[in-house]
Each structure stands twice: as structure tokens, then as C-alpha cells.
Amino acid sequence: MFQNVSNDSVLGYAQFLEQTLKILHIEDSAADQALARLSLQRGRLQCELTVVDTLQGVTDALGSQKFDLILADYHLPGFTALDAWELVHALPEHPPFVLLSGAIGESAAVDVMRVGISDYLLKDQITSLPHVVTRALEVWEAKRARRRAVQELEASEKRLAELTEHLQTSIEQERAGISREIHDDIGGSLTSVKFDLAWIQRNAPEGPLRSHAASALEMLEHALGASQRIMHNLRPPVLDQGLVAAVQWLARNFEQRTGVATTVRTSRESMDLPAALQVVAYRTAQEALTNVSKYAQASRVDIDLSDQEGFLTLEVTDNGVGLAEGARDKAQSFGLRGLSERARTVQGWLDVSSQPGRGTSIIVSIPLAGTRP
């Protein structure tokens, strides 16, 4: 809504007194041109006015130089200010546009407000022109600063997403490398030691030596089991058999370890998916089951895996105590945030639905368009 401006209604007026403003004045009356110039001078605004009175003149002026503000009469020979506004509005970053006109009628005033012209001042109130100009400039500067801040935020979010994707990829590669080293080096060495200890146990006479060998073998079996668990957590070899097999293995292992009944339902027996998508879905299921074992106090978990309707969808639902209000936003709560960021690396998203006492459902959805291997 446009309002006439009183002398005390403009904030930041002084900031425009020390700069020369370039104004395109669209006006066919020499007298009104002079009055506008005089009013701006009396308001102590230093202005460089370029005066045009044709639509072609507007086009030429806009094409040859940049202006801080457009000041226009409404009715001009052969066109109106709305025609000039269309030219100005088409500029990549157009300056504020102020109408300085006689009465233009209610319909025209509505059109002016609808299209987004900055302000409207009647010519018989021209003494307020300096304040209208400075207010329009101030609002425009604020909008430009906001646009710039939004652009910078979007650029920052894009860089953060790229960094997250890089980190997730690096982490998975590092996990796979460590898993291979454990399997090839530590696992191989432990297996060799196991054979040697077994030989000692078989061939040692009854007594302390055989007893110590048996104890060492028992500890070695524990170490081998631990190394296997670590390898599976780092990068389960079962992923090489596909996502369906990996999720089924994860569910069986979880059920055996916790005693919580776990059911897996899939849309098909195998899914031909890119490795990155499989890892995201698998890690989501892994983290969700970890949360169930730690916090949910559940007696049942259902896992649904589907690649229908153009999306890979994994849903893990439990019948536990649910998430407490605000649990997802508390400090140092990075599990679900990490899953959400991981999903974003493959253009997916994470949804969490939970009510106290009624369980929790974690769903990751990933578009499949253009991602088939």
C-alpha cells in the first residue's frame, strides 16, 4: 500500500545526502521537470537527472546507463508509466520506480500497486519528493541485501551439501579400506595363530601347556569374532550380494543379538541399484536398528524395502516407547541428522514419525530417476 510521506517518516535519510543519485525522469512537462529538480535540491539531495518523454527514450536511456531510481509521470504522450515499468522491470536488477503524477484514478492506482511500483506521490505534494525518493532507495537497498543474503545462504548450503557428500564418500571408502586390512592382515594373522595353537593343543602332553593353549584358543576365537563384527560394521561383505540380502542379514543379526522380533518385507528378491544408494539405505537401517536397541524398548520391528514408483524407500518401524518431544533437536543428537544429511547426498530425504508410547517410524526415500547402474 502506498502512503504519502511526512517530513519525519524516513529512516536513514542522511545516508543519501553525500552521494550523487542518477535518476531517470520520465516527464513531458518542462515545468514539472523543473519543479522536481528544485524539490530534490531543496531536500539537499545531489541528483543527476536524465529526462526523457518517449518510450523509445526510456529504452535508449536504460540501455546506455544505470540509474539509482526511476521517476515517472503516469500519463505521457502515447504511453503510460506502466509501459515504462515493463521495460524497467525486465532489467536483471532493476532500480526502484516512483510515480510522480497527478490524480490517476482508482483503477490505475490499483494497477500501480499490483505490479510492484515502489511508491506514488501526487504532484501537488512534490515537496515530499526527497523523502519519497530516499525511502524508496532505502527499501530497495534492504531488498537487495536480503536477496544477496539468500543467494549467499543458498551457495553456502550447496557447498555444505557437496562437502557432506565428499565426506560420506570418503568415510565409506576409508571403512572399506580398513575392513579389507582387517580381513587380509589381522584376520589372516589370527587364523595362522589359531592353527598353530590348535597344533600345540593337540600335540602337547596333558598339563599346563595344553591348558594354556586351550585358553589362548578360546581368546583367539573371541578376537576372530570381534574382528568379523568390526568388518561387518565397517563395510559388510553381504552388500556385495545386493541391498535386499544386506538388509535381511542385518535384520537377522539384530534379532539374534537383541531378541526383538524383526520382519523384512521387500518389493522384490533383488534390486539392481547403484552402490551409493545401497550404502545410504543400509546405513539408515543400521542406525535405525541401533536406536531401537538403545532406546525404543520395543518387542517388534518391521522393515519395508521397496523400489517401486521411481523411488527406493526403506522404512524401519518399531512398537517401542517413541521419541520424547524435542529429542530430535537436542544438542549432540547427530544420529538422525547424520542420516538426513546422508540421504541428501543422493537427492533423497528422511522422514521421522513418532509419538510417545506408540513407536517410531524412520523412512528414507531416494529418487531412482537417472540413477540405475
Side-chain angles (χ1 to χ4, degrees):
M1 181 176 181
F2 298 107
Q3 301 175 353
N4 293 331
V5 185
S6 63
N7 289 340
D8 59 353
S9 65
V10 177
L11 297 176
Y13 176 77
Q15 66 178 307
F16 298 105
L17 297 180
E18 301 301 324
Q19 64 185 90
T20 299
L21 301 175
K22 297 185 67 175
I23 297 177
L24 176 62
H25 191 189
I26 308 172
E27 175 62 71
D28 63 325
S29 168
D32 289 340
Q33 294 169 13
L35 284 173
R37 190 183 300 273
L38 179 61
S39 178
L40 292 169
Q41 289 174 348
R42 288 179 174 174
R44 295 185 295 129
L45 290 178
Q46 302 178 41
C47 301
E48 178 185 318
L49 270 68
T50 299
V51 181
V52 296
D53 59 5
T54 66
L55 201 56
Q56 186 59 49
V58 174
T59 301
D60 294 342
L62 293 175
S64 62
Q65 56 184 309
K66 292 184 178 181
F67 295 95
D68 298 307
L69 182 128
I70 311 298
L71 183 65
D73 194 2
Y74 186 82
H75 293 289
L76 294 120
F79 70 103
T80 70
L82 292 178
D83 298 313
W85 164 252
E86 289 184 5
L87 296 174
V88 173
H89 190 255
L91 297 175
E93 189 169 316
H94 63 80
F97 193 110
V98 174
L99 279 183
L100 177 61
S101 178
I104 61 175
E106 183 176 349
S107 177
V110 170
D111 289 339
V112 164
M113 289 187 288
R114 179 176 54 81
V115 300
I117 288 175
S118 302
D119 215 332
Y120 167 41
L121 180 67
L122 293 172
K123 286 184 176 179
D124 59 9
Q125 297 175 332
I126 199 169
T127 55
S128 296
L129 181 60
H131 299 288
V132 170
V133 166
T134 53
R135 182 174 68 180
L137 289 169
E138 189 177 45
V139 170
W140 180 78
E141 287 286 354
K143 288 181 178 179
R144 186 170 66 168
R146 181 180 178 184
R147 286 195 302 270
R148 188 161 49 243
V150 169
Q151 291 170 353
E152 291 174 356
L153 178 60
E154 290 174 348
S156 176
E157 289 177 342
K158 181 180 179 182
R159 290 193 298 271
L160 179 60
E162 291 172 349
L163 175 61
T164 300
E165 181 176 2
H166 171 72
L167 290 175
Q168 294 291 357
T169 301
S170 299
I171 288 171
E172 290 299 334
Q173 291 174 344
E174 187 69 17
R175 282 177 166 177
I178 295 172
S179 178
R180 283 193 299 269
E181 289 183 14
I182 292 175
H183 179 271
D184 297 341
D185 296 338
I186 298 177
S189 298
L190 289 177
T191 302
S192 296
V193 173
K194 178 182 176 181
F195 287 140
D196 289 338
L197 286 173
W199 185 90
I200 293 172
Q201 184 186 31
R202 288 194 307 270
N203 293 280
E206 289 289 344
L209 181 60
R210 178 177 288 188
S211 177
H212 281 294
S215 297
L217 270 173
E218 184 178 344
M219 292 300 297
L220 194 59
E221 289 289 352
H222 176 76
L224 282 168
S227 68
Q228 289 291 328
R229 287 195 303 274
I230 293 171
M231 282 190 295
H232 278 89
N233 285 332
L234 287 171
R235 208 281 179 181
V238 73
L239 263 180
D240 295 331
Q241 302 176 30
L243 179 61
V244 173
V247 170
Q248 290 172 339
W249 174 86
L250 190 65
R252 286 195 301 271
N253 182 268
F254 172 80
E255 186 175 60
Q256 293 169 1
R257 182 165 44 86
T258 64
V260 177
T262 306
T263 301
V264 178
R265 291 183 290 269
T266 64
S267 60
R268 64 182 74 207
E269 293 183 0
S270 64
M271 300 177 185
D272 190 18
L273 300 168
L277 272 63
Q278 294 188 53
V279 170
V280 169
Y282 179 84
R283 293 301 182 195
T284 300
Q286 186 180 44
E287 179 68 20
L289 291 176
T290 298
N291 287 342
V292 172
S293 65
K294 286 183 177 180
Y295 311 115
Q297 302 174 34
S299 61
R300 181 173 183 80
V301 174
D302 293 292
I303 302 175
D304 292 279
L305 180 63
S306 170
D307 63 348
Q308 302 299 304
E309 299 180 356
F311 289 89
L312 173 64
T313 304
L314 174 83
E315 180 175 4
V316 181
T317 304
D318 67 71
N319 65 347
V321 297
L323 293 176
E325 186 175 354
R328 278 170 273 180
D329 300 321
K330 68 181 181 180
Q332 305 301 318
S333 178
F334 298 119
L336 294 179
R337 295 180 200 172
L339 291 180
S340 181
E341 289 299 322
R342 185 186 287 273
R344 288 178 61 183
T345 65
V346 288
Q347 289 73 54
W349 60 92
L350 187 81
D351 292 317
V352 180
S353 175
S354 181
Q355 293 183 359
R358 301 184 64 179
T360 300
S361 178
I362 295 177
I363 307 172
V364 64
S365 301
I366 305 169
L368 292 174
T371 64
R372 292 289 183 183

